Amino acid sequence: MPRLYLIRHGKPAATWGGHDDDPGLDETGAAQARAARDVLLALPAEHRPRRVVSSPLARCRETAMPTAQALGVEIEIDPAVGEIPTPAALAAEARPAWLRDAFQGRWQDIPGDLDYDAWRGSIARALLSRGDTAVFSHFVAINAVLSHLAQDDRVVSFRPDHTSITTLETDGQRLVLVERGREAATGVL
């Protein structure tokens, strides 16, 4: 079956809730992006990604760039693998507290103007046709996919580290978890 790699972005230059809504990578994050490229290129030819997809946000695009350049492909931007949508009425300064609360709960209990349980299912469906692809995404989006596959209602059931690579297989009809990526050694996201 074709492989799909979910890669969390590298370490950003700023954390969520900071002054920059769309930070790129810091020096450590750039080194992590190159290391992720090296891991993906070292895979056996039959498992190596042929496409590169990224969330629209800078930290994911910058993490994807070394892999795309090495493979000689363009980065495909897909909002479906982007960051969890913030409720429209929520002020920017309230987002960190909203996220911290969401991380403690279940998908169906996240407050806001969106059905977040349905949102996580939509990410998984968006990945079905993405075999042989490296997908550069976010902590919450990766949790959305894995919790959907495991039928686990918790928002956070996995703490992917920066540039953690989670391997899935897809036949276009279903996603199967092959291996979870490296987990963060700390509770700090």
Side-chain angles (χ1 to χ4, degrees), residues 137-188:
S137 191
H138 303 272
F139 180 94
V140 180
I142 293 168
N143 265 281
V145 173
L146 294 185
S147 69
H148 180 78
L149 294 178
Q151 298 179 341
D152 185 341
D153 288 339
R154 294 176 295 159
V155 173
V156 176
S157 60
F158 173 52
R159 294 187 173 278
D161 204 356
H162 289 114
T163 64
S164 168
I165 301 173
T166 293
T167 306
L168 305 173
E169 288 185 335
T170 179
D171 60 4
Q173 301 296 312
R174 63 189 176 100
L175 293 172
V176 176
L177 177 63
V178 174
E179 182 178 18
R180 284 183 183 218
R182 181 183 69 255
E183 288 205 67
T186 175
V188 176

Side-chain angles (χ1 to χ4, degrees), residues 6-66:
L6 296 180
I7 302 106
R8 183 179 177 203
H9 60 77
K11 186 172 180 278
T15 59
W16 48 268
H19 298 293
D20 187 349
D21 288 341
D22 191 14
L25 300 177
D26 68 8
E27 288 181 29
T28 299
Q32 291 169 331
R34 293 187 299 273
R37 170 205 59 206
D38 295 346
V39 168
L40 292 168
L41 292 179
L43 293 169
E46 67 271 14
H47 292 307
R48 197 170 301 137
R50 293 173 178 76
R51 296 168 58 195
V52 174
V53 172
S54 175
S55 157
L57 297 179
R59 57 193 175 271
C60 289
R61 293 190 326 267
E62 291 179 18
T63 307
M65 185 58 67

Side-chain angles (χ1 to χ4, degrees), residues 87-167:
L90 192 68
E93 60 273 5
R95 187 171 197 272
W98 174 79
L99 275 174
R100 275 191 290 279
D101 288 346
F103 287 171
Q104 304 306 311
R106 301 177 316 150
W107 288 102
Q108 59 270 31
D109 297 333
I110 298 175
D113 49 2
L114 181 71
D115 180 343
Y116 289 99
D117 194 36
W119 175 77
R120 77 176 173 144
S122 71
I123 297 172
R125 284 189 300 281
L127 296 174
L128 285 173
S129 64
R130 297 259 187 215
D132 299 324
T133 304
V135 178
F136 293 83
S137 191
H138 303 272
F139 180 94
V140 180
I142 293 168
N143 265 281
V145 173
L146 294 185
S147 69
H148 180 78
L149 294 178
Q151 298 179 341
D152 185 341
D153 288 339
R154 294 176 295 159
V155 173
V156 176
S157 60
F158 173 52
R159 294 187 173 278
D161 204 356
H162 289 114
T163 64
S164 168
I165 301 173
T166 293
T167 306

